[in-house]
Amino acid sequence: MSAFYDLWIGNSLPGSYRSGNAGWLHSQLALQCFLSLPGNKTDFYSETDSDTHTLIVLGQFYEKINISTLLQQCAKYIANTDEIFYDPAGHYILFLFDKKSKYWYVFTNRLGTYHAYWLSEDGKNSISTYYLELARFAGTKELDWEGITGFLSMGFFPEDKTYLKTIKIFKPASCYCFNEQLQLVNYQRYWNWSHQPQEYSVNKHINKLNEVLIATLGEAIKGKRVALPISGGLDSRVLSGVTSQILHGDVSKLWSFSYGYSDTSVETIIAKQIANSRKIPFDNYVVPNYLFDKINTITESVELFQYVDGTRQAFMNEMLDRKSDVVIGGHWGDVWMDDMGIEDDASKNEDDTLLFAFRKKIIKKGSSWLMNEVCKPYIKDSEDYLNSYFTDYINKYKYIKDPDFRMKIFKTDQWSFRWTLASIRMYQAGAFPVLPFYDRRIVELFTTIKTSEVKKRYLEVEYIKAFHPDLAKIKWQEYNSNLYNYKFFSNRNIAYRVADKLKRSVVKNSVVRRNWEIFYLNPAGREHLEQELLNPKFSAIVSAGKIRQLINELYDAPSASNGYAISMLLTFSQFINKIM
């Protein structure tokens, strides 16, 4: 029960492999290379050979690719990095072995969707897609407190940092070169961001969007059993429309589902209406209290790069394994097809505006406790470190005039790369994820569109109305109205929030709104939390007294802030207790 395709490059064979996978086997084509595949499945693994090189591909292309030709393209690029490397569309990573020099080259795709890591430590230099085993294998387990500070404050690790100083993640759109001893020789991005809006009409933009989505999904789901999560939002109805269109109404290999916190969840009600409109088989579920029963599977899947209680799809892995080969994720559609809320105001300092947005929108509520009680002994001024990290990153793209798009680059290259894509791996406990909004052609499209054209989801709404009018007639959860009338509810956000707050004040805490409320706000949840967080190993990092105080606060007055702090502590504790 796994869709993980793992690779290990190194002189020593790793000690363990993921549950559901076959053990490590030596690659027949490349030295030092071992593979651990899900049983006898090879759907998302391929390799090819030439007289000079070996190419190993993990993942899936979203366009027809001849991998022998791709090998030649990779070899040409490493021979002359002034060449342009045209990365294929898809969710994959490439490993190229030079038979003469014994050098290894790693090519990530444009948005770095398939994660892999390298350990830099004398005598143990290794490369792998399985981070936790790489961390267990490391001899020097020195915590990277800059990385951990970023993780606890933002929910994701900054740049290429991980829990350990000696292990880094491969960045997006990059080619890495390692010598025979697997020491890093050089690293280079083969593509970089631009934003050059074209004077196209909205109709041309939505026609191009439809063309790309049909091409992507048409290739990705061909001949496969497909699972389609549906919500009350826009992205999943776009994918419902396109997928059923590709299948020409033959939905015998298509299954959809949704989940909410109750039988009357608005999200699942709308999802069912969308599925029924296209006659797609549909099941709805109530999110159960699954966390501590599945915490090992969750840990192994997201590898503690996302908080462990944020993976609602974890309880679906057995069903996904039984009913599908691939699962379509709508992730990041909402980012491409909306603005970031950054106004291009000449009267304000742009750097200050972006930094303010970073502090307000990226730094999490509840992170101040974590900074003061966990990180302060190691990072004296966490705010200064985080501000510098953001400013240094965003300033690399000063050549892009639109500050809103610069913030979108940050969210895509950092948040999406380190958090969203880690959470998507939870699906792989059951089925391989298809990620249409991470297609290279989607990136190219939205780098040519003005921010004003996507603001408040305008372009996406127009797309659905034009290509899937039956789905446009269904209520949009965000506005409590369909896509033909939602503009008349433009004051909905204020009115809705007031009404929602009044409703919650009447029912108090009886309505569950977040995963952690299900998992923690019960006697068994408290018992599990204390067992995990008061472990002697973790108490050496954060004192038991401080942890007890935070747990008491959670149960006395649960809030988004202490809920977040507990979630991140539990995730961090899993790494300390299992790896250190």
Side-chain angles (χ1 to χ4, degrees), residues 319-571:
M319 190 72 74
L320 287 169
D321 177 62
R322 189 161 64 249
K323 302 189 74 166
S324 62
D325 303 310
V326 296
V327 53
I328 299 175
H331 307 76
W332 225 242
D334 61 330
V335 175
W336 293 124
M337 292 185 276
D338 202 351
D339 66 312
M340 297 288 99
I342 310 295
E343 297 296 335
D344 191 0
D345 187 344
S347 67
K348 295 181 180 179
N349 183 289
E350 184 180 284
D351 293 342
D352 292 342
T353 299
L354 288 167
L355 184 59
F356 176 79
F358 169 72
R359 299 298 310 182
K360 182 179 180 181
K361 298 183 178 186
I362 307 297
I363 304 300
K364 305 294 187 186
K365 291 180 180 178
S367 64
S368 58
W369 189 96
L370 297 165
M371 295 303 97
N372 290 328
E373 305 299 344
V374 182
C375 299
K376 196 170 184 178
Y378 310 96
I379 302 290
K380 297 302 180 186
D381 192 334
S382 58
E383 183 173 336
D384 182 62
Y385 163 68
L386 292 166
N387 289 350
S388 295
Y389 148 70
F390 174 76
T391 301
D392 290 347
Y393 179 88
I394 210 76
N395 282 346
K396 292 190 293 187
Y397 298 101
K398 280 215 167 187
Y399 60 85
I400 291 175
K401 295 179 180 178
D402 185 343
D404 194 271
F405 197 81
R406 287 170 66 199
M407 180 59 82
K408 189 170 292 191
I409 292 171
F410 171 79
K411 284 198 72 173
T412 304
D413 241 12
Q414 298 290 297
W415 181 330
S416 167
F417 172 49
R418 301 306 308 274
W419 186 86
T420 309
L421 290 164
S423 73
I424 288 169
R425 287 206 299 269
M426 191 65 246
Y427 280 133
Q428 283 183 253
F432 196 80
V434 172
L435 309 174
F437 294 118
Y438 287 85
D439 189 303
R440 167 183 53 79
R441 296 163 293 192
I442 288 288
V443 179
E444 290 168 353
L445 172 62
F446 283 95
T447 56
T448 66
I449 298 177
K450 295 177 181 177
T451 300
S452 58
E453 289 188 18
V454 299
K455 193 171 185 177
K456 296 184 178 179
R457 311 295 285 273
Y458 172 70
L459 189 73
E460 190 169 18
V461 168
E462 293 305 304
Y463 168 81
I464 296 170
K465 287 160 61 177
F467 288 94
H468 310 291
D470 58 319
L471 304 183
K473 294 175 183 176
I474 297 170
K475 182 170 69 176
W476 178 12
Q477 184 177 350
E478 179 69 16
Y479 282 87
N480 200 29
S481 174
N482 68 37
L483 303 191
Y484 294 98
N485 298 322
Y486 80 99
K487 286 185 178 180
F488 300 114
F489 293 79
S490 59
N491 64 343
R492 169 261 181 200
N493 287 329
I494 295 173
Y496 182 87
R497 286 171 185 169
V498 170
D500 191 49
K501 188 174 181 180
L502 287 171
K503 179 181 177 182
R504 282 186 282 127
S505 68
V506 172
V507 298
K508 298 192 176 179
N509 290 326
S510 62
V511 178
V512 173
R513 305 175 65 82
R514 305 174 184 89
N515 275 11
W516 60 264
E517 293 176 276
I518 295 176
F519 304 144
Y520 305 148
L521 300 186
N522 57 76
R526 181 164 192 156
E527 181 181 346
H528 282 298
L529 273 178
E530 291 177 347
Q531 180 181 337
E532 297 288 343
L533 296 180
L534 298 175
N535 182 295
K537 273 190 177 181
F538 194 57
S539 295
I541 302 289
V542 190
S543 77
K546 291 176 180 178
I547 292 174
R548 285 189 187 278
Q549 183 179 359
L550 181 65
I551 291 174
N552 288 337
E553 289 176 7
L554 175 73
Y555 288 94
D556 290 342
S559 69
S561 292
N562 54 38
Y564 175 79
I566 286 286
S567 297
M568 297 305 287
L569 270 188
L570 178 61
T571 306

Side-chain angles (χ1 to χ4, degrees), residues 113-321:
T113 60
Y114 205 118
H115 290 176
Y117 314 83
W118 87 93
L119 167 64
S120 179
E121 186 177 309
D122 287 343
K124 288 201 167 189
N125 295 334
S126 303
I127 296 169
S128 185
T129 55
Y130 188 13
Y131 175 78
L132 292 179
E133 180 56 26
L134 205 58
R136 280 189 284 263
F137 181 73
T140 304
K141 293 181 172 60
E142 182 182 356
L143 293 172
D144 186 333
W145 279 102
E146 287 188 351
I148 292 165
T149 296
F151 179 59
L152 296 181
S153 61
M154 301 182 294
F156 58 90
F157 280 82
E159 294 287 357
D160 61 355
K161 297 180 183 297
T162 74
Y163 287 96
L164 299 180
K165 280 190 173 183
T166 54
I167 304 179
K168 306 295 183 187
I169 191 171
F170 291 104
K171 294 181 182 180
S174 298
C175 174
Y176 288 77
C177 171
F178 295 86
N179 65 19
E180 189 173 359
Q181 290 73 43
L182 296 179
Q183 297 166 324
L184 181 66
V185 175
N186 60 53
Y187 143 80
Q188 180 169 318
R189 278 185 73 102
Y190 59 76
W191 171 86
N192 222 327
W193 289 94
S194 66
H195 187 225
Q196 298 174 326
Q198 307 293 316
E199 292 299 329
Y200 296 141
S201 67
V202 169
N203 282 340
K204 285 187 177 179
H205 286 321
I206 62 177
N207 284 331
K208 182 62 177 178
L209 175 62
N210 193 55
E211 176 188 317
V212 172
L213 290 174
I214 287 174
T216 298
L217 287 168
E219 186 67 25
I221 69 174
K222 188 185 302 179
K224 294 180 173 61
R225 297 173 304 149
V226 181
L228 177 65
I230 305 179
S231 71
L234 299 186
D235 301 330
S236 61
R237 77 181 67 193
V238 167
L239 299 178
S240 299
V242 175
T243 303
S244 56
Q245 177 184 339
I246 289 169
L247 297 173
H248 305 292
D250 179 8
V251 294
S252 58
K253 290 188 175 181
L254 179 61
W255 163 66
S256 64
F257 64 90
S258 187
Y259 32 62
Y261 291 120
S262 72
D263 289 325
T264 58
S265 167
V266 173
E267 184 166 331
T268 58
I269 291 170
I270 296 173
K272 186 175 183 178
Q273 292 171 356
I274 293 168
N276 287 346
S277 182
R278 292 301 173 100
K279 297 181 172 58
I280 302 171
F282 175 82
D283 291 311
N284 65 290
Y285 303 90
V286 175
V287 179
N289 186 350
Y290 61 82
L291 176 62
F292 292 101
D293 291 335
K294 290 185 171 290
I295 197 163
N296 290 331
T297 301
I298 295 168
T299 295
E300 194 173 61
S301 299
V302 303
E303 299 195 283
L304 305 173
F305 290 115
Q306 192 209 34
Y307 46 83
V308 291
D309 58 24
T311 52
R312 282 204 296 176
Q313 61 270 49
F315 76 93
M316 293 294 299
N317 60 324
E318 289 92 351
M319 190 72 74
L320 287 169
D321 177 62

Side-chain angles (χ1 to χ4, degrees), residues 13-110:
L13 186 67
S16 64
Y17 49 89
R18 290 186 215 253
S19 301
N21 274 22
W24 296 99
L25 297 175
H26 199 290
S27 167
Q28 296 181 359
L29 299 181
L31 295 174
Q32 302 174 288
C33 183
F34 303 89
L35 297 158
S36 176
L37 306 181
N40 296 319
K41 296 179 183 177
T42 57
D43 301 39
F44 304 104
Y45 158 75
S46 57
E47 57 184 27
T48 191
D49 209 25
S50 73
D51 292 339
T52 56
H53 295 87
T54 295
L55 177 66
I56 295 173
V57 181
L58 300 182
Q60 182 184 32
F61 297 121
Y62 298 159
E63 56 185 329
K64 293 187 184 301
I65 295 294
N66 181 308
I67 65 168
S68 295
T69 303
L70 180 59
L71 181 153
Q72 295 170 10
Q73 183 187 349
C74 292
K76 186 177 180 181
Y77 179 80
I78 64 175
N80 180 9
T81 53
D82 289 334
E83 291 278 341
I84 295 175
F85 179 72
Y86 291 103
D87 52 312
H91 169 40
Y92 62 86
I93 190 168
L94 310 177
F95 300 90
L96 185 75
F97 179 63
D98 186 316
K99 296 179 181 180
K100 182 178 180 181
S101 67
K102 305 294 192 293
Y103 278 27
W104 277 96
Y105 297 84
V106 180
F107 289 80
T108 54
N109 69 358
R110 188 161 299 195

